[in-house]
Amino acid sequence: MTQAGRGPRERMVFSAAQLIRRNGVTATGMREVAAHADAPRGSLQHYFPGGKEQLVNEAVEWAGRYAGKRVARFLAGLERPTPSGLFAAMAAQWTDEYTADGFTAGCPVAAATVDCATGDSTREAAAAAFATWRAPVAEALRGMGVPADRADSLATLMISTLEGAILMARAERDVRPLTTAVRELGPLLDAAVRP
C-alpha cells in the first residue's frame, strides 16, 4: 500500500483511507488528506466536488476493493488452502501490523461505519465495501468445498469476527483477541467443508 505511481486523485483516496483507519472520519480533515497525499489543496474540490462525504465514500469503497483483492493473495500463500487457513491469514495481516507498528490503526470501513452510521451515502458505501470483501471470501470457501448455501454466511461470520477482534485488539493493546478468534473459529470453518 504505497503512493508510488498514483495520480493525485488516487493518492487522496488512499490517504483518506489511511487517515480514517487511524483517526476516524470526524478527525480526518480535507487539508490533512491533501497534505498526506502530497496533493495541492485546490485539487480536492476539483476531484471531489461532493466534498468530504464523497472523498470518505470513495476511500471506503477503495478499502473494500483492497480487502477483496487480498483474499487471492492470502490463498496464494497457503500451501493447502483451508477455510481456517484463510481466516488465519486474514487475521495475521492485523497481528503482524499490530506487533510491528502498534495498535494505532483499524479498518477504515469499520471506522466510517461507526462515525457516519446515520449518513445514508456513507452507510451505503460501507455496506457495499463489506459486500465487495465478502464475495471473494465466499467464493474461496466454495472453492475449498464449503456448500454454496453456507459459503456466504460463513464469509459474513469470518469478516464480522475479524472486525470485532480488530476492535478488541486495539482497545486492549493486545493481539490476543485475534489469536483467540483464529483458534476458536478455525475448527468450525473447516467442519463446513464437504468432501
Side-chain angles (χ1 to χ4, degrees):
M1 293 191 318
T2 65
Q3 297 272 38
R6 296 177 185 200
R9 187 180 204 295
E10 292 79 18
R11 290 195 317 268
M12 285 186 280
V13 170
F14 175 82
S15 289
Q18 298 312 303
L19 293 169
I20 290 167
R21 69 188 294 260
R22 292 189 183 283
N23 308 323
V25 171
T26 305
T28 297
M30 296 288 275
R31 289 183 181 141
E32 185 182 17
V33 170
H36 187 273
D38 195 27
R41 272 194 307 197
S43 62
L44 283 165
Q45 278 195 309
H46 172 72
Y47 290 117
F48 305 100
K52 183 175 179 178
E53 184 174 351
Q54 180 186 356
L55 177 59
V56 167
N57 293 351
E58 290 191 30
V60 166
E61 291 164 359
W62 174 88
R65 288 190 307 273
Y66 175 80
K69 289 176 186 173
R70 297 244 346 143
V71 173
R73 287 186 234 150
F74 293 143
L75 288 172
L78 298 175
E79 190 173 314
R80 190 177 76 81
T82 62
S84 64
L86 174 58
F87 185 68
M90 291 166 65
Q93 170 189 355
W94 293 95
T95 303
D96 294 348
E97 177 180 331
Y98 291 154
T99 301
D101 301 328
F103 298 85
T104 58
C107 173
V109 181
T113 301
V114 170
D115 279 2
C116 302
T118 58
D120 280 343
S121 71
T122 301
R123 183 194 53 73
E124 290 168 4
F130 281 125
T132 299
W133 183 10
R134 186 175 55 245
V137 173
E139 182 181 330
L141 292 174
R142 285 190 298 274
M144 292 179 226
V146 173
D149 64 337
R150 293 210 51 214
D152 190 64
S153 61
L154 288 177
T156 298
L157 178 63
M158 290 167 69
I159 292 169
S160 60
T161 300
L162 180 61
E163 289 288 358
I166 291 166
L167 288 172
M168 290 178 71
R170 288 185 75 195
E172 296 174 9
R173 298 280 193 240
D174 191 334
V175 296
R176 185 193 53 77
L178 289 158
T179 57
T180 299
V182 168
R183 184 180 65 247
E184 296 296 333
L185 190 58
L188 179 126
L189 294 171
D190 288 343
V193 175
R194 296 292 175 250

